[in-house]
Structure formats: structure tokens, C-alpha cells
Amino acid sequence: MTDTAPLARRKPRLNPVLARYLLAFDTPKGQIGLGLVVLLSALALLAPVLFPGGYDLQSRDSLLPVSWAHPFGTDELGRDIFVRSLYGLRTDLALAAAAVPLSMVIGTFLGLSGALSPRLGTLVQRALDIIVGFPGLILAICVVLVIGTGWTALLVAIVIGGLPGFGRLARATFLSQQHQEYVVAARTLGVSKWRIMVRHILPNAVDPIIVQGAIFVVAAVFTEAALSIVGLGLQPPEPSLGILLNVGMRYITMAPFYILGPTLILVLLALAFSLLADALNSKVNRK
């Protein structure tokens, strides 16, 4: 007997690739990580709506301790540290959202350049090895000293710092796939090197690259914080978590609560993306 059930009653099948990624959110780590990311992102995006007075609203109540009115206390100018932390989180997430995908795309295609030319691939890897030779913070400081402090310098520093990680993962995928039968068959049929790279090798590099991207978000946020702490990142009065920690360290003996709020948000942000990366790694990358 043929199946006469209406097509509308049949459950739509998810794309296999999408279904694999959704498996990561069936785990406790994935659910907790996703929940924290959604919560922190919502607070950052809605900060101007929740606190329309802005992050620079001053008062006479300076260096107040933690209270219901001021969950993170107030700073030396009477500004609410909780409000400034949310605006700082907004700044950091915007920076990571711009720098991390850019670093992923550039690093991936640099790593796959060996599919176009073996000499080019070797030259690119030597250049990435040079970048790896610099500690992350030292490399970022060098970039800032060349370009100058500000958003652009942080963006460039984060992008450059992420290139070796993404490039090496893509390179490893290329080396493992270049002798596979379907790649050899494509070469035999005269398929162009660019098409082989994009259609046959790149899809196999996507999973580890996405996992690495989730991990690198944490590194991007900490890069901003580290540079701002030493005065080479964003500059006041623009808020960022690093700037709050930089200023708070000056009052650590008078008001030790000053740095607790920004530190808590940094820890939660790092925990969220670390849990997401671990969940993706266990359900996607290892398969």
C-alpha cells in the first residue's frame, strides 16, 4: 500500500550539517554556554534601552560599595559601574564580532593556499610561524605602537593574533585531504585548483575552524582587556572591560569592589564561550 499521508503532516528533515551542530546544544555544557552567551549578549545590546542615561552619568556618590541600587558600586566620579560594565561588554562583543570572523576567513584561506601552489603554502606557513614566535600580548603591543591606540589597532592586533591558529588548522585539513580519492579524481578530470580548494577541501575544514573561532572569542576579549589595562587599548571615556579594570586597580586599596564587577563579567564571558567550544568539539569536530 502506498503512503497517502499528506506531505504537510510529514516532519521536515533538518539539514545534516545543521543537525550536527544542534547536537552540541543537547548537552549540559552547550545549554549552559548558549544560555550565558544569549544573556550577556542581550544585556549588552539592550544597555542603551535599559539605561538611557548612558555610561557617563555622574553623581556625588563616589566609590559607593555594592548595593541593590548599584550592584557593582560606583566609581570615582559617582558613575554606576554595573552600567559601565554593560556598555563595556557591548564594546568588547562588538570588537570580537568584527575581528574573529575576519581572522577566521583570512587565516583559513591562508592555510588552504597550498592547494593553489605548494610554494605559496610553504611561504605562508613560514610567515605564520613568525607570528607564533611572538607572545600574543607582545605582538598586540607592537601593532598598537605602529598604528596607535584605538579601535582599529585592537581590531588589527586581534586579527593578526588569530591567523596562525586558523591557518594551521586549515593547513592540516589540506594535507590530510589532498591525497584522498575524490581530490585525485577531481584533479584527473581537470577541475581547477581553486574549485578543488573551495568545493572539496574547505568543507572539511569548517568544523575545526568553527570550534577554534569559539575559543578565539575568549582570546580576543582578553586581548582588549590586557591592552586597555596597560593603557594601550581603548581610551577613556569610552567604556570597555579593560578600561574599567585599569582604572579600578588605582583604587583597589580604597574600593576593592571596583574591579569585582568587570572581572565577573569577563569570567562569565570566558566560561560561556569555553563551554560552547567544548560542546561543539565533542559533538561536531570529533565526528
Side-chain angles (χ1 to χ4, degrees):
M1 181 180 293
T2 59
D3 186 7
T4 58
L7 294 176
R9 296 182 182 178
R10 297 179 181 177
K11 295 182 179 180
R13 297 182 62 183
L14 288 175
N15 183 285
V17 177
L18 178 61
R20 286 194 300 114
Y21 282 94
L22 291 178
L23 286 175
F25 304 114
D26 288 337
T27 63
K29 289 182 179 180
Q31 293 169 355
I32 295 173
L34 180 62
L36 286 174
V37 169
V38 171
L39 175 61
L40 294 173
S41 300
L43 289 174
L45 291 174
L46 296 176
V49 178
L50 297 174
F51 306 101
Y55 56 82
D56 206 28
L57 188 62
Q58 302 180 13
S59 69
R60 297 181 179 179
D61 301 323
S62 61
L63 298 179
L64 289 180
V66 175
S67 65
W68 287 109
H70 305 286
F72 292 167
T74 60
D75 65 6
E76 71 280 5
L77 298 177
R79 298 172 296 190
D80 192 294
I81 299 177
F82 178 70
V83 175
R84 290 181 61 78
S85 296
L86 293 186
Y87 275 92
L89 175 64
R90 179 185 178 91
T91 300
D92 283 34
L93 287 179
L95 181 62
V100 174
L102 188 59
S103 184
M104 288 174 63
V105 172
I106 297 175
T108 299
F109 279 99
L110 286 177
L112 295 179
S113 60
L116 302 177
S117 169
R119 289 185 178 180
L120 177 61
T122 302
L123 180 63
V124 167
Q125 288 306 306
R126 298 294 77 78
L128 295 180
D129 290 341
I130 293 174
I131 296 176
V132 173
F134 287 87
L137 183 57
I138 301 299
L139 176 63
I141 291 175
C142 292
V143 172
V144 171
L145 292 178
V146 172
I147 300 178
T149 59
W151 178 280
T152 303
L154 284 173
L155 178 67
V156 174
I158 293 172
V159 169
I160 294 177
L163 294 181
F166 297 116
R168 286 183 167 188
L169 284 175
R171 174 75 172 178
T173 301
F174 161 67
L175 293 177
S176 65
Q177 297 295 319
Q178 65 175 338
H179 299 301
Q180 295 294 324
E181 292 181 357
Y182 65 92
V183 176
V184 176
R187 290 200 192 100
T188 304
L189 293 173
V191 179
S192 66
K193 294 180 179 180
W194 179 263
R195 187 175 180 84
I196 291 174
M197 181 184 75
V198 174
R199 185 165 184 177
H200 297 293
I201 299 178
L202 179 60
N204 292 284
V206 170
D207 290 347
I209 292 296
I210 289 179
V211 174
Q212 176 68 14
I215 297 173
F216 189 60
V217 170
V218 181
V221 172
F222 276 99
T223 297
E224 183 282 321
L227 289 177
S228 295
I229 285 175
V230 298
L232 295 176
L234 299 174
Q235 300 299 310
E238 186 173 2
S240 76
L241 297 177
I243 290 176
L244 291 174
L245 292 174
N246 182 6
V247 178
M249 291 175 63
R250 306 173 192 173
Y251 300 92
I252 194 167
T253 56
M254 299 171 54
F257 54 84
Y258 198 131
I259 63 173
L260 293 181
T263 301
L264 176 62
I265 291 181
L266 270 177
V267 171
L268 289 177
L269 193 61
L271 176 64
F273 281 99
S274 297
L275 289 174
L276 275 182
D278 196 14
L280 287 170
N281 188 52
S282 62
K283 293 296 183 180
V284 177
N285 196 23
R286 293 177 184 174
K287 294 182 182 300

